[in-house]
Amino acid sequence: MVLSKIASESDISIHSTFASRYVRTSLPRFKMPENSIPKEAAYQIINDELMLDGNPRLNLASFVTTWMEPECDKLMMDSINKNYVDMDEYPVTTELQNRCVNMIAHLFNAPLEDKETAVGVGTVGSSEAIMLAGLAFKRKWQNKMKAQGKPYDKPNIVTGANVQVCWEKFARYFEVELKEVKLTDGYYVMNPEKAVEMVDENTICVAAILGSTLNGEFEDVKKLNDLLIEKNKETGWDTPIHVDAASGGFIAPFIYPELEWDFRLPLVKSINVSGHKYGLVYAGIGWVIWRNKEDLPDELIFHINYLGADQPTFTLNFSKGSSQVIAQYYQLIRLGYEGYKNVMENCQENARVLREGLEKTGRFDIVSKEVGVPLVAFSLKDNSKHDEFEISESLRRFGWIVPAYTMPPDAQHITVLRVVIREDFSRTLAERLVMDIAKVLHELDMLPARVKAKLVMAGEAATANGSDSASHHKTDREWELEVTEAWKKFVANKKNKTKGVC
């Protein structure tokens, strides 16, 4: 949901050039029109406005899939009118969802016996999956505390300060204290030692991130598991682990198969993953898998029969489309282990090309790690002349959407740019992005406002060194002439370089 507001009092109607072939009157912007309009006009009006959206393929801020094969697109359109919740009406769709749950559970090394069914559910995304996993932990903890005759009104959850905002939502919506391990310079994920120190009797779980949103780094779930086992032995507690593998869950099994982060670790009780990220499905699908049935309290599961048969359900919403579930099943059987491995290795290789290209400029420090989600997070070595936010804004002229952001506490003084490498981001695009970043840096270096700032800095440096500089005493007119001259040189250089180019 987006909180909406009226942009301005005067901007109250919508006009369309081409739609005037069908309708001449303007439409109200924030009220339903009184009369119907031709379908062609409605299409053209909306299409004209959508032209101003960014290009999804060039949106390097997003982890979400922006390309699928035409055959999968067709399957999605063919099933777009099916309601996922109507299990009795659409039993095959339900079966495909169950197959996906079991495939993903096996991928995460769930301890399943032969012919044993995995415990999990498809969700709208990892946000809903995390809400469901968190509720299961909270209810299990409450039941345990009630049985022991202890207070159960102050649950908490331990995470790193680098968690995605959905964890803050869970804590606020369901009244759970969020205890965050602060970050430090050069270490931008949760420190497992500090996390375990923060665990107490009221901790419902520790949440580890397999693929930090900030820099793609995998947290050390194995070390966290080992430390927590020791603490549980000392205290008699049984504090579990949830792994937020929204980004990394469809990466680690294919390119880091020896990495222990999943159900191979005994304290990992549930895992969420985003099918619409590196699961390679369009936005709208996530998954949460539990280790076994005992980790999902029965009282959280609802049984309904008014859609034709008894149907167990554990979701926050009710109705939703079936298309993404079907698309996920398509990708799993279409690509198989080999196909996913090829895609992830290709993404990793393109991330390497981009990282090396940025390093060659000599202007950036690379903040991301080579082991992790295939993305490149980087910051300026020197941001005294221009900062990462200016680079982000300037890149939009070339169509690129590259986010700039500050790190969470206690590393909020670090500003970072981040490029997510998805399946549809080719090596050619990586090389082009490096070229455009170099252009942006050159242009920012030559901007008139920056020229004046540089001159002031040079004057201050000269004064500090005892030189006879008159820069502090220049009049506004003198500054204006000097800046104008620098700007003329900049424009002349641009013209000379583009001479003869159409």
Side-chain angles (χ1 to χ4, degrees):
M1 179 188 74
V2 176
L3 300 178
S4 62
K5 63 179 181 179
I6 296 176
S8 67
E9 292 298 324
S10 60
D11 197 14
I12 59 174
S13 62
I14 302 172
H15 307 269
S16 176
T17 300
F18 301 109
S20 62
R21 293 183 177 213
Y22 309 102
V23 60
R24 293 297 302 275
T25 57
S26 60
L27 299 177
R29 188 179 294 271
F30 301 110
K31 295 180 182 178
M32 285 182 64
E34 292 294 327
N35 302 313
S36 302
I37 61 174
K39 62 182 183 295
E40 297 89 351
Y43 170 82
Q44 193 64 56
I45 288 169
I46 297 170
N47 186 65
D48 286 354
E49 288 205 77
L50 289 175
M51 288 170 61
L52 299 177
D53 265 350
N55 183 340
R57 293 278 302 277
L58 299 183
N59 179 8
L60 307 182
S62 177
F63 290 80
V64 176
T65 297
T66 51
W67 178 85
M68 296 183 74
E69 292 176 324
E71 291 79 6
C72 194
D73 288 346
K74 187 176 187 306
L75 278 173
M76 294 183 74
M77 291 306 300
D78 289 346
S79 58
I80 201 167
N81 58 350
K82 290 183 180 179
N83 189 355
Y84 168 79
V85 79
D86 289 340
M87 301 178 188
D88 192 55
E89 295 294 325
Y90 309 117
V92 175
T93 299
T94 302
E95 169 65 15
L96 298 187
Q97 187 244 201
N98 293 337
R99 292 178 192 176
C100 288
V101 166
N102 281 272
M103 288 181 183
I104 295 169
H106 283 289
L107 189 66
F108 295 166
N109 295 294
L112 299 172
E113 301 293 335
D114 290 343
K115 297 183 180 179
E116 183 181 359
T117 303
V119 181
V121 66
T123 62
V124 175
S126 275
S127 291
E128 183 189 6
I130 284 168
M131 303 289 171
L132 298 178
L135 284 171
F137 283 118
K138 182 180 178 183
R139 183 56 57 92
K140 282 205 69 175
W141 173 83
Q142 287 176 326
N143 291 342
K144 180 189 70 174
M145 298 298 277
K146 287 178 184 178
Q148 296 174 358
K150 296 180 179 180
Y152 54 90
D153 60 334
K154 293 183 179 179
N156 69 66
I157 188 168
V158 176
T159 70
N162 56 307
V163 292
Q164 216 261 1
V165 69
C166 58
W167 283 99
E168 297 178 36
K169 288 182 178 180
F170 166 75
R172 192 177 303 179
Y173 293 167
F174 297 104
E175 298 181 321
V176 176
E177 180 190 0
L178 190 66
K179 298 171 73 173
E180 294 184 336
V181 178
K182 304 301 183 186
L183 308 185
T184 57
D185 273 352
Y187 197 90
Y188 303 120
V189 292
M190 179 178 69
N191 184 314
E193 287 96 344
K194 292 181 180 179
V196 173
E197 288 174 5
M198 297 175 73
V199 169
D200 59 32
E201 192 176 18
N202 294 329
T203 301
I204 64 175
C205 80
V206 180
I209 312 297
L210 193 79
S212 172
T213 301
L214 301 177
N215 69 344
E217 188 174 351
F218 292 165
E219 293 183 343
D220 193 342
V221 188
K222 175 70 164 61
K223 187 172 184 179
L224 175 66
N225 177 85
D226 294 345
L227 291 171
L228 205 49
I229 285 175
E230 292 301 315
K231 183 152 190 171
N232 285 342
K233 285 180 181 177
E234 294 171 6
T235 60
W237 305 333
D238 56 355
T239 308
I241 295 172
H242 174 85
V243 179
D244 179 356
S247 299
F250 276 111
I251 295 171
F254 302 108
I255 56 179
Y256 309 113
E258 302 305 317
L259 182 67
E260 293 184 55
W261 63 273
D262 53 18
F263 292 121
R264 286 171 287 183
L265 303 175
L267 291 185
V268 174
K269 302 300 183 182
S270 56
I271 300 171
N272 69 277
V273 65
S274 291
H276 59 218
K277 291 183 180 176
Y278 288 94
L280 307 180
V281 178
Y282 292 141
I285 185 68
W287 303 93
V288 57
I289 312 294
W290 283 271
R291 186 181 193 87
N292 52 49
K293 293 179 181 178
E294 290 72 30
D295 295 310
L296 177 57
D298 288 336
E299 61 263 39
L300 294 179
I301 301 173
F302 291 83
H303 293 265
I304 59 172
N305 61 10
Y306 46 80
L307 292 175
D310 179 65
Q311 299 173 5
T313 177
F314 181 37
T315 56
L316 293 181
N317 68 307
F318 195 63
S319 295
K320 69 176 179 181
S322 298
S323 297
Q324 272 75 11
V325 171
I326 293 168
Q328 183 72 82
Y329 184 67
Y330 171 91
Q331 294 288 48
L332 291 173
I333 67 168
R334 159 77 175 95
L335 294 172
Y337 189 93
E338 176 191 29
Y340 269 96
K341 187 174 188 293
N342 289 339
V343 170
M344 301 312 154
E345 287 179 344
N346 187 57
C347 290
Q348 190 180 40
E349 176 63 18
N350 288 335
R352 183 191 62 78
V353 170
L354 177 59
R355 181 171 60 250
E356 291 177 355
L358 292 170
E359 288 175 334
K360 286 179 181 177
T361 67
R363 303 288 292 272
F364 298 105
D365 289 318
I366 305 300
V367 176
S368 51
K369 307 295 184 182
E370 292 189 28
V371 175
V373 176
L375 63 79
V376 183
F378 52 104
S379 59
L380 283 165
K381 291 182 177 180
D382 178 10
N383 60 6
S384 61
K385 300 171 186 175
H386 39 258
D387 59 30
E388 290 80 1
F389 293 99
E390 290 173 286
I391 294 174
S392 175
E393 185 64 28
S394 297
L395 282 171
R396 286 179 178 267
R397 291 192 296 106
F398 298 93
W400 302 109
I401 300 174
V402 178
Y405 51 88
T406 55
M407 289 290 191
D410 286 330
Q412 60 266 45
H413 57 285
I414 304 296
T415 307
V416 172
L417 291 153
R418 188 196 67 211
V419 174
V420 178
I421 310 299
R422 300 188 301 271
E423 181 185 11
D424 56 357
F425 186 80
S426 66
R427 178 167 182 163
T428 302
L429 287 176
E431 292 169 347
R432 169 55 63 181
L433 176 59
V434 173
M435 292 172 61
D436 289 343
I437 289 174
K439 289 179 185 176
V440 164
L441 288 171
H442 177 72
E443 291 176 2
L444 287 173
D445 287 341
M446 297 302 295
L447 281 176
R450 295 298 178 186
V451 171
K452 180 174 179 179
K454 289 177 185 176
L455 291 171
V456 171
M457 290 173 64
E460 290 174 346
T463 301
N465 293 330
S467 300
D468 184 18
S469 174
S471 60
H472 278 298
H473 308 290
K474 289 181 181 177
T475 65
D476 288 342
R477 178 57 180 165
E478 288 173 327
W479 277 122
E480 184 180 338
L481 291 172
E482 196 160 353
V483 169
T484 302
E485 190 61 30
W487 178 246
K488 285 180 180 178
K489 289 180 180 178
F490 171 72
V491 173
N493 288 336
K494 292 277 287 183
K495 285 182 177 179
N496 291 334
K497 290 179 181 178
T498 58
K499 192 174 294 183
V501 178
C502 297

